[in-house]
Amino acid sequence: MVDSPLIVDATIRSATRIKGAEAAGVAANAARFYVEGDVGTLVRGTGAIPARVGWLVDVPLDPRGRAPALKKQRVLAFARPVANRPDQIQLVAKDAQRAWSPAADALTRRIATAAASTDAPPVITGVKSAFYVPGSLPGEGETQIFLLTRGDRPAAVSVLRRPGEQPRWSIALSEVIDENATAPARDTLLWYRLACFLPRMLPDAATGALAESDAAHAREDYAFVIQQLGACRGTGAADAISGGGVPS
């Protein structure tokens, strides 16, 4: 959701539950509402929007099947404009409305600013290839994993193992592998793009040209990177920025 055209900080003024045909596709443990919210801040957007906008949102029910009280909630809505309806917005995903909190607001603004920067890290779309180079000592070696990105921008993960030391991984965003590159800090834009959009396992196609022993090292090192990144989900702020599920 970090690439949402609109990110709106709004307080819900009214909420009307939608039933029947207009609620088609709602999960069994959720309910659909049409809400109207008073816009406090347009966190992201290319132009002005009305002081009050409306949108549809699916919200989870509690264990007793009751919907939450939405009125007066302050939320962050990750959305897009609706053509010819300036007073309407459309959430970019079913879970693109998030409860506002100081932490979620600060994180959203920080990541949105980073995403709009001319030097923003690339959007990760998958893994291209991997190879492993053994070192001169037992237990020594390096795996390099080349990533697929939107716009074919360079991105490569390296994992270095030395005897008696903890493995060290890093990512380089240039054609030349930088020996001084480091792993991204948690809750940065690059961290989210790796943690949320790298596949959980190294694809077989990425190691198709390797001997099985080298492929095994590459898979082990890739798993280490995924473990070090951790899950992209887990907090409301992280969910809001990451934009949802992790590819399998």
PDB file of all heavy atoms in Angstrom, residues 163-186:
ATOM      1  N   PRO A 163      34.482 -19.304   9.066  1.00  0.00           N
ATOM      2  CA  PRO A 163      34.548 -20.218  10.221  1.00  0.00           C
ATOM      3  C   PRO A 163      34.605 -19.445  11.538  1.00  0.00           C
ATOM      4  O   PRO A 163      35.346 -18.467  11.667  1.00  0.00           O
ATOM      5  CB  PRO A 163      35.843 -21.002   9.975  1.00  0.00           C
ATOM      6  CG  PRO A 163      36.073 -20.906   8.507  1.00  0.00           C
ATOM      7  CD  PRO A 163      35.570 -19.559   8.097  1.00  0.00           C
ATOM      8  N   GLY A 164      33.800 -19.882  12.513  1.00  0.00           N
ATOM      9  CA  GLY A 164      33.818 -19.271  13.830  1.00  0.00           C
ATOM     10  C   GLY A 164      33.107 -17.944  13.934  1.00  0.00           C
ATOM     11  O   GLY A 164      33.145 -17.304  14.989  1.00  0.00           O
ATOM     12  N   GLU A 165      32.447 -17.491  12.838  1.00  0.00           N
ATOM     13  CA  GLU A 165      31.750 -16.213  12.849  1.00  0.00           C
ATOM     14  C   GLU A 165      30.283 -16.416  12.476  1.00  0.00           C
ATOM     15  O   GLU A 165      29.934 -17.385  11.805  1.00  0.00           O
ATOM     16  CB  GLU A 165      32.387 -15.223  11.862  1.00  0.00           C
ATOM     17  CG  GLU A 165      33.826 -14.875  12.159  1.00  0.00           C
ATOM     18  CD  GLU A 165      34.385 -13.875  11.145  1.00  0.00           C
ATOM     19  OE1 GLU A 165      33.580 -13.322  10.361  1.00  0.00           O
ATOM     20  OE2 GLU A 165      35.599 -13.663  11.141  1.00  0.00           O
ATOM     21  N   GLN A 166      29.458 -15.503  12.919  1.00  0.00           N
ATOM     22  CA  GLN A 166      28.067 -15.512  12.502  1.00  0.00           C
ATOM     23  C   GLN A 166      27.975 -15.135  11.025  1.00  0.00           C
ATOM     24  O   GLN A 166      28.736 -14.286  10.547  1.00  0.00           O
ATOM     25  CB  GLN A 166      27.239 -14.516  13.329  1.00  0.00           C
ATOM     26  CG  GLN A 166      27.010 -14.942  14.770  1.00  0.00           C
ATOM     27  CD  GLN A 166      26.110 -16.173  14.859  1.00  0.00           C
ATOM     28  OE1 GLN A 166      25.133 -16.305  14.129  1.00  0.00           O
ATOM     29  NE2 GLN A 166      26.472 -17.082  15.753  1.00  0.00           N
ATOM     30  N   PRO A 167      27.082 -15.758  10.262  1.00  0.00           N
ATOM     31  CA  PRO A 167      26.905 -15.344   8.868  1.00  0.00           C
ATOM     32  C   PRO A 167      26.539 -13.860   8.801  1.00  0.00           C
ATOM     33  O   PRO A 167      25.889 -13.323   9.698  1.00  0.00           O
ATOM     34  CB  PRO A 167      25.750 -16.220   8.359  1.00  0.00           C
ATOM     35  CG  PRO A 167      25.705 -17.363   9.313  1.00  0.00           C
ATOM     36  CD  PRO A 167      26.164 -16.844  10.634  1.00  0.00           C
ATOM     37  N   ARG A 168      26.980 -13.207   7.745  1.00  0.00           N
ATOM     38  CA  ARG A 168      26.671 -11.785   7.563  1.00  0.00           C
ATOM     39  C   ARG A 168      26.024 -11.608   6.191  1.00  0.00           C
ATOM     40  O   ARG A 168      26.532 -12.124   5.192  1.00  0.00           O
ATOM     41  CB  ARG A 168      27.935 -10.938   7.664  1.00  0.00           C
ATOM     42  CG  ARG A 168      27.687  -9.436   7.578  1.00  0.00           C
ATOM     43  CD  ARG A 168      28.971  -8.660   7.780  1.00  0.00           C
ATOM     44  NE  ARG A 168      29.898  -8.836   6.681  1.00  0.00           N
ATOM     45  CZ  ARG A 168      29.869  -8.083   5.567  1.00  0.00           C
ATOM     46  NH1 ARG A 168      28.950  -7.147   5.416  1.00  0.00           N
ATOM     47  NH2 ARG A 168      30.749  -8.296   4.618  1.00  0.00           N
ATOM     48  N   TRP A 169      24.894 -10.895   6.160  1.00  0.00           N
ATOM     49  CA  TRP A 169      24.254 -10.664   4.870  1.00  0.00           C
ATOM     50  C   TRP A 169      24.093  -9.176   4.610  1.00  0.00           C
ATOM     51  O   TRP A 169      24.090  -8.362   5.524  1.00  0.00           O
ATOM     52  CB  TRP A 169      22.902 -11.382   4.790  1.00  0.00           C
ATOM     53  CG  TRP A 169      21.750 -10.702   5.489  1.00  0.00           C
ATOM     54  CD1 TRP A 169      21.441 -10.758   6.806  1.00  0.00           C
ATOM     55  CD2 TRP A 169      20.750  -9.885   4.872  1.00  0.00           C
ATOM     56  NE1 TRP A 169      20.317 -10.032   7.057  1.00  0.00           N
ATOM     57  CE2 TRP A 169      19.856  -9.482   5.897  1.00  0.00           C
ATOM     58  CE3 TRP A 169      20.511  -9.459   3.566  1.00  0.00           C
ATOM     59  CZ2 TRP A 169      18.755  -8.668   5.642  1.00  0.00           C
ATOM     60  CZ3 TRP A 169      19.415  -8.653   3.305  1.00  0.00           C
ATOM     61  CH2 TRP A 169      18.558  -8.272   4.335  1.00  0.00           C
ATOM     62  N   SER A 170      24.000  -8.849   3.340  1.00  0.00           N
ATOM     63  CA  SER A 170      23.874  -7.456   2.935  1.00  0.00           C
ATOM     64  C   SER A 170      23.142  -7.400   1.606  1.00  0.00           C
ATOM     65  O   SER A 170      22.939  -8.418   0.935  1.00  0.00           O
ATOM     66  CB  SER A 170      25.259  -6.811   2.802  1.00  0.00           C
ATOM     67  OG  SER A 170      26.027  -7.475   1.798  1.00  0.00           O
ATOM     68  N   ILE A 171      22.750  -6.202   1.206  1.00  0.00           N
ATOM     69  CA  ILE A 171      22.133  -6.015  -0.098  1.00  0.00           C
ATOM     70  C   ILE A 171      22.778  -4.819  -0.781  1.00  0.00           C
ATOM     71  O   ILE A 171      23.037  -3.786  -0.151  1.00  0.00           O
ATOM     72  CB  ILE A 171      20.606  -5.819  -0.003  1.00  0.00           C
ATOM     73  CG1 ILE A 171      20.006  -5.630  -1.404  1.00  0.00           C
ATOM     74  CG2 ILE A 171      20.231  -4.673   0.925  1.00  0.00           C
ATOM     75  CD1 ILE A 171      18.510  -5.763  -1.477  1.00  0.00           C
ATOM     76  N   ALA A 172      23.074  -4.983  -2.065  1.00  0.00           N
ATOM     77  CA  ALA A 172      23.647  -3.917  -2.886  1.00  0.00           C
ATOM     78  C   ALA A 172      22.634  -3.524  -3.949  1.00  0.00           C
ATOM     79  O   ALA A 172      21.960  -4.386  -4.532  1.00  0.00           O
ATOM     80  CB  ALA A 172      24.946  -4.379  -3.534  1.00  0.00           C
ATOM     81  N   LEU A 173      22.536  -2.223  -4.204  1.00  0.00           N
ATOM     82  CA  LEU A 173      21.581  -1.711  -5.191  1.00  0.00           C
ATOM     83  C   LEU A 173      22.299  -1.043  -6.351  1.00  0.00           C
ATOM     84  O   LEU A 173      21.868  -0.017  -6.874  1.00  0.00           O
ATOM     85  CB  LEU A 173      20.618  -0.720  -4.517  1.00  0.00           C
ATOM     86  CG  LEU A 173      19.795  -1.283  -3.361  1.00  0.00           C
ATOM     87  CD1 LEU A 173      18.928  -0.204  -2.744  1.00  0.00           C
ATOM     88  CD2 LEU A 173      18.931  -2.452  -3.828  1.00  0.00           C
ATOM     89  N   SER A 174      23.394  -1.648  -6.753  1.00  0.00           N
ATOM     90  CA  SER A 174      24.148  -1.137  -7.900  1.00  0.00           C
ATOM     91  C   SER A 174      24.703  -2.323  -8.670  1.00  0.00           C
ATOM     92  O   SER A 174      24.660  -3.468  -8.204  1.00  0.00           O
ATOM     93  CB  SER A 174      25.286  -0.221  -7.447  1.00  0.00           C
ATOM     94  OG  SER A 174      26.230  -0.939  -6.675  1.00  0.00           O
ATOM     95  N   GLU A 175      25.227  -2.066  -9.852  1.00  0.00           N
ATOM     96  CA  GLU A 175      25.763  -3.138 -10.677  1.00  0.00           C
ATOM     97  C   GLU A 175      26.984  -3.781 -10.025  1.00  0.00           C
ATOM     98  O   GLU A 175      27.273  -4.948 -10.231  1.00  0.00           O
ATOM     99  CB  GLU A 175      26.150  -2.587 -12.065  1.00  0.00           C
ATOM    100  CG  GLU A 175      24.987  -2.061 -12.895  1.00  0.00           C
ATOM    101  CD  GLU A 175      24.097  -3.174 -13.420  1.00  0.00           C
ATOM    102  OE1 GLU A 175      24.436  -4.364 -13.235  1.00  0.00           O
ATOM    103  OE2 GLU A 175      23.044  -2.863 -14.013  1.00  0.00           O
ATOM    104  N   VAL A 176      27.706  -2.995  -9.228  1.00  0.00           N
ATOM    105  CA  VAL A 176      28.912  -3.480  -8.566  1.00  0.00           C
ATOM    106  C   VAL A 176      28.562  -3.867  -7.128  1.00  0.00           C
ATOM    107  O   VAL A 176      27.932  -3.090  -6.400  1.00  0.00           O
ATOM    108  CB  VAL A 176      30.020  -2.413  -8.570  1.00  0.00           C
ATOM    109  CG1 VAL A 176      31.254  -2.922  -7.842  1.00  0.00           C
ATOM    110  CG2 VAL A 176      30.358  -1.993  -9.992  1.00  0.00           C
ATOM    111  N   ILE A 177      28.928  -5.084  -6.722  1.00  0.00           N
ATOM    112  CA  ILE A 177      28.679  -5.523  -5.353  1.00  0.00           C
ATOM    113  C   ILE A 177      29.572  -4.728  -4.411  1.00  0.00           C
ATOM    114  O   ILE A 177      30.800  -4.762  -4.516  1.00  0.00           O
ATOM    115  CB  ILE A 177      28.955  -7.029  -5.198  1.00  0.00           C
ATOM    116  CG1 ILE A 177      28.068  -7.819  -6.169  1.00  0.00           C
ATOM    117  CG2 ILE A 177      28.694  -7.465  -3.771  1.00  0.00           C
ATOM    118  CD1 ILE A 177      26.590  -7.637  -5.950  1.00  0.00           C
ATOM    119  N   ASP A 178      28.973  -3.993  -3.513  1.00  0.00           N
ATOM    120  CA  ASP A 178      29.694  -3.120  -2.588  1.00  0.00           C
ATOM    121  C   ASP A 178      30.110  -3.914  -1.355  1.00  0.00           C
ATOM    122  O   ASP A 178      29.268  -4.442  -0.630  1.00  0.00           O
ATOM    123  CB  ASP A 178      28.794  -1.953  -2.195  1.00  0.00           C
ATOM    124  CG  ASP A 178      29.498  -0.939  -1.309  1.00  0.00           C
ATOM    125  OD1 ASP A 178      30.678  -1.153  -0.969  1.00  0.00           O
ATOM    126  OD2 ASP A 178      28.851   0.060  -0.946  1.00  0.00           O
ATOM    127  N   GLU A 179      31.409  -4.011  -1.100  1.00  0.00           N
ATOM    128  CA  GLU A 179      31.889  -4.743   0.065  1.00  0.00           C
ATOM    129  C   GLU A 179      31.451  -4.094   1.374  1.00  0.00           C
ATOM    130  O   GLU A 179      31.449  -4.731   2.421  1.00  0.00           O
ATOM    131  CB  GLU A 179      33.421  -4.842   0.026  1.00  0.00           C
ATOM    132  CG  GLU A 179      33.948  -5.711  -1.124  1.00  0.00           C
ATOM    133  CD  GLU A 179      35.445  -5.870  -1.065  1.00  0.00           C
ATOM    134  OE1 GLU A 179      36.065  -5.232  -0.185  1.00  0.00           O
ATOM    135  OE2 GLU A 179      35.996  -6.614  -1.895  1.00  0.00           O
ATOM    136  N   ASN A 180      31.080  -2.805   1.312  1.00  0.00           N
ATOM    137  CA  ASN A 180      30.645  -2.095   2.514  1.00  0.00           C
ATOM    138  C   ASN A 180      29.130  -2.097   2.682  1.00  0.00           C
ATOM    139  O   ASN A 180      28.613  -1.470   3.610  1.00  0.00           O
ATOM    140  CB  ASN A 180      31.148  -0.647   2.472  1.00  0.00           C
ATOM    141  CG  ASN A 180      32.673  -0.573   2.498  1.00  0.00           C
ATOM    142  OD1 ASN A 180      33.309  -1.284   3.257  1.00  0.00           O
ATOM    143  ND2 ASN A 180      33.238   0.285   1.662  1.00  0.00           N
ATOM    144  N   ALA A 181      28.424  -2.792   1.802  1.00  0.00           N
ATOM    145  CA  ALA A 181      26.964  -2.844   1.910  1.00  0.00           C
ATOM    146  C   ALA A 181      26.556  -3.546   3.194  1.00  0.00           C
ATOM    147  O   ALA A 181      27.295  -4.385   3.721  1.00  0.00           O
ATOM    148  CB  ALA A 181      26.384  -3.567   0.694  1.00  0.00           C
ATOM    149  N   THR A 182      25.380  -3.205   3.692  1.00  0.00           N
ATOM    150  CA  THR A 182      24.885  -3.778   4.938  1.00  0.00           C
ATOM    151  C   THR A 182      23.451  -4.269   4.745  1.00  0.00           C
ATOM    152  O   THR A 182      22.822  -4.022   3.719  1.00  0.00           O
ATOM    153  CB  THR A 182      24.911  -2.738   6.066  1.00  0.00           C
ATOM    154  OG1 THR A 182      24.085  -1.630   5.699  1.00  0.00           O
ATOM    155  CG2 THR A 182      26.342  -2.247   6.310  1.00  0.00           C
ATOM    156  N   ALA A 183      22.944  -4.948   5.744  1.00  0.00           N
ATOM    157  CA  ALA A 183      21.533  -5.331   5.741  1.00  0.00           C
ATOM    158  C   ALA A 183      20.691  -4.100   6.065  1.00  0.00           C
ATOM    159  O   ALA A 183      21.121  -3.235   6.831  1.00  0.00           O
ATOM    160  CB  ALA A 183      21.287  -6.429   6.767  1.00  0.00           C
ATOM    161  N   PRO A 184      19.496  -3.986   5.507  1.00  0.00           N
ATOM    162  CA  PRO A 184      18.661  -2.807   5.772  1.00  0.00           C
ATOM    163  C   PRO A 184      18.114  -2.816   7.194  1.00  0.00           C
ATOM    164  O   PRO A 184      17.841  -3.872   7.767  1.00  0.00           O
ATOM    165  CB  PRO A 184      17.525  -2.940   4.751  1.00  0.00           C
ATOM    166  CG  PRO A 184      17.427  -4.417   4.495  1.00  0.00           C
ATOM    167  CD  PRO A 184      18.839  -4.926   4.563  1.00  0.00           C
ATOM    168  N   ALA A 185      17.982  -1.649   7.755  1.00  0.00           N
ATOM    169  CA  ALA A 185      17.390  -1.530   9.086  1.00  0.00           C
ATOM    170  C   ALA A 185      15.904  -1.864   9.016  1.00  0.00           C
ATOM    171  O   ALA A 185      15.236  -1.605   8.010  1.00  0.00           O
ATOM    172  CB  ALA A 185      17.585  -0.120   9.624  1.00  0.00           C
ATOM    173  N   ARG A 186      15.388  -2.454  10.079  1.00  0.00           N
ATOM    174  CA  ARG A 186      13.965  -2.789  10.133  1.00  0.00           C
ATOM    175  C   ARG A 186      13.118  -1.522  10.047  1.00  0.00           C
ATOM    176  O   ARG A 186      13.495  -0.456  10.508  1.00  0.00           O
ATOM    177  CB  ARG A 186      13.656  -3.544  11.433  1.00  0.00           C
ATOM    178  CG  ARG A 186      12.257  -4.138  11.469  1.00  0.00           C
ATOM    179  CD  ARG A 186      12.024  -4.920  12.747  1.00  0.00           C
ATOM    180  NE  ARG A 186      10.664  -5.421  12.802  1.00  0.00           N
ATOM    181  CZ  ARG A 186      10.274  -6.604  12.323  1.00  0.00           C
ATOM    182  NH1 ARG A 186      11.171  -7.409  11.769  1.00  0.00           N
ATOM    183  NH2 ARG A 186       9.015  -6.995  12.391  1.00  0.00           N
TER     184      ARG A 186
END
